[in-house]
Amino acid sequence: MSRTLSTTPTQDGFRMPAEWGNHAGTWMIWPERPDNWRNGAKPAQIAFTQVATAIAAYEPVTMCVSPAQYLNARHALPVSVRLVEMTSNDSWIRDCGPSFVTNPNHEVRGVDWRFNAWGGLQEGLYSPWDQDDLVGEKVLEMERALRYAPPIVLEGGSIEVDGEGTLMVTMQCLLNKNRNPDLSKEAIEAALRDYLGVTKIIWLDQGVFNDETDGHEDNLARFVAPGRVVLTWTDDHEDPQYEISQDAFLRLSKAVDAHGRALEIIKIHQPGPLFMKGEEAAGVDIIDGTEPRTAGLRLAASYVNFYMCNGALIVPELDPGFDAHAASALKLACPNHDIVMVPAREILLGGGNIHCITQQQPMGFEA
Ligand code: KQY
């Protein structure tokens, strides 16, 4: 713990940069638990390999992998992907990894939030989660980065910054009693300001319908440039997502960012709706305490769960009926980025998507 600071990033002049800032690289964790990933995680391992390979064309990728899976992962992944041995409970490094912060002197530090598997013993998605909770600290050790350890439970997928002082979050997740039951909204806002260096917080209400993270922001709405937001959408009034996206649109329409700018909101029509098939549910091992998988489960599918790396958006390919539309809408939203679509249904079946399985490490300056 010698590298853990007792100050906050804001006190020290650090803030979380936007995802479109220059990255030193991307961190991922190799999937293997058979009670989350069907068929012994084999199909998920192919999907994670495709994501890592796509990102590696643009920036360095490090894959954390358990000792048992080291050789398997080494054979599957291209040599350009660095492998490091690391124990974890699952593979959602967006949520259990550190949120990196930078300062004007190009220094990079990490915020290592407390992690409780999206809700702790009563409502969380698995137990134990102790090894996931160590991932942030281990990554920062490896990078010799100083560590902040905020006294709150938070996942990286529940926050979205523009790097210029603005943060978007959902009330469904951040104010959920299964995260920080003793903290008021004001206390949570204070922690967000202290540890992310933001001055303006935009509160949306609900996340994507049936998202088992309790409504992570990164599945609902994302910044793609200062003052520009992409929002998952449906035109189907009968779909339970309709009211949620409509409400988010109204809140974003009324909001201004930390610089007083109104937001340009670009709607990205959702895939599907998509549901878990019988054979997919049947491939997941049943272990007490893990979120059950059942045929017909509505999947929290969204194209905005993409990852922005140096020069490209790595976008989930989920539905032939909407993929091309999502790709062209995202190209309009991010004209300077390549749009690279990667098959992502297997990641979705595990409960998240490409953004949830990646974590950017900023360079600390614009290249
Ligand atoms: O960030 C995420 N979407 C993580 C989802 C965890 C799902 C565990 N089954």
Side-chain angles (χ1 to χ4, degrees):
M1 294 292 188
S2 59
R3 300 178 67 79
T4 300
L5 301 163
S6 55
T7 51
T8 69
T10 297
Q11 285 171 333
D12 298 341
F14 284 72
R15 66 161 58 154
M16 186 175 178
E19 197 162 304
W20 56 83
N22 199 37
H23 297 180
T26 301
W27 290 83
M28 297 178 66
I29 304 175
W30 188 247
E32 67 172 288
R33 62 181 296 160
D35 56 342
N36 191 64
W37 304 105
R38 74 185 179 116
N39 300 353
K42 276 287 152 217
Q45 290 174 358
I46 292 168
F48 276 54
T49 298
Q50 289 172 328
V51 170
T53 304
I55 298 170
Y58 294 90
E59 64 185 53
V61 177
T62 301
M63 184 73 75
C64 305
V65 59
S66 75
Q69 282 287 319
Y70 186 88
L71 284 176
N72 179 40
R74 186 63 287 166
H75 281 118
L77 291 161
V79 287
S80 58
V81 173
R82 173 176 75 154
L83 242 66
V84 297
E85 193 177 297
M86 192 181 295
T87 307
S88 65
N89 300 107
D90 201 358
S91 32
W92 306 98
I93 200 162
R94 173 65 50 191
D95 294 340
C96 64
S99 302
F100 285 96
V101 290
T102 58
N103 74 357
N105 296 330
H106 315 318
E107 294 170 283
V108 179
R109 297 179 179 173
V111 180
D112 182 16
W113 312 97
R114 291 185 184 167
F115 179 77
N116 76 351
W118 310 275
L121 279 180
Q122 302 306 320
E123 296 175 1
L125 300 180
Y126 51 73
S127 168
W129 55 81
D130 57 319
Q131 294 304 313
D132 276 355
D133 202 17
L134 288 172
V135 167
E137 193 173 333
K138 290 177 181 175
V139 167
L140 298 174
E141 280 281 349
M142 266 186 260
E143 295 302 302
R144 299 186 187 282
L146 292 174
R147 168 179 179 259
Y148 296 100
I152 70 165
V153 171
L154 185 137
E155 304 95 43
S158 70
I159 53 171
E160 175 71 7
V161 297
D162 69 354
E164 298 190 0
T166 318
L167 170 70
M168 285 191 296
V169 292
T170 68
M171 292 186 254
Q172 182 193 357
C173 186
L174 272 279
L175 304 185
N176 200 306
K177 290 298 175 203
N178 63 17
R179 303 307 207 278
N180 298 289
D182 301 327
L183 294 187
S184 64
K185 183 179 181 189
E186 291 69 33
I188 289 169
E189 286 199 332
L192 296 169
R193 290 173 203 273
D194 288 346
Y195 286 92
L196 295 171
V198 296
T199 55
K200 173 73 193 257
I201 302 172
I202 299 173
W203 288 92
L204 303 180
D205 186 3
Q206 302 290 308
V208 166
F209 177 71
N210 229 18
D211 186 333
E212 63 188 25
T213 63
D214 303 310
H216 268 189
E217 176 64 37
D218 68 350
N219 220 18
L220 178 71
R222 306 279 308 284
F223 284 113
V224 287
R228 184 179 299 162
V229 170
V230 291
L231 170 68
T232 195
W233 190 258
T234 177
D235 290 324
D236 179 0
H237 293 225
E238 303 303 315
D239 190 302
Q241 185 58 39
Y242 183 81
E243 294 288 336
I244 296 170
S245 290
Q246 188 77 20
D247 179 82
F249 183 83
L250 289 175
R251 288 173 192 271
L252 289 167
S253 307
K254 289 182 197 149
V256 291
D257 68 12
H259 289 265
R261 288 173 292 222
L263 300 171
E264 178 191 0
I265 308 159
I266 299 172
K267 298 171 181 171
I268 310 288
H269 203 284
Q270 69 179 8
L274 302 179
F275 301 89
M276 187 168 288
K277 297 175 188 152
E279 84 245 28
E280 292 170 335
V284 181
D285 287 6
I286 297 168
I287 296 180
D288 277 356
T290 308
E291 190 74 1
R293 302 283 180 214
T294 46
L297 180 76
R298 168 77 181 257
L299 301 168
S302 161
Y303 291 111
V304 311
N305 204 293
F306 54 76
Y307 178 59
M308 281 182 113
C309 61
N310 293 339
L313 256 62
I314 313 298
V315 182
E317 187 178 272
L318 292 164
D319 177 357
F322 287 100
D323 290 342
H325 175 266
S328 53
L330 288 168
K331 184 67 185 172
L332 284 175
C334 304
N336 299 325
H337 285 74
D338 296 341
I339 305 297
V340 180
M341 300 203 78
V342 176
R345 183 172 175 93
E346 294 297 334
I347 311 171
L348 178 64
L349 294 174
N353 225 301
I354 294 174
H355 195 248
C356 311
I357 63 164
T358 49
Q359 183 63 250
Q360 70 276 10
Q361 179 173 343
M363 188 72 92
F365 59 90
E366 294 303 314

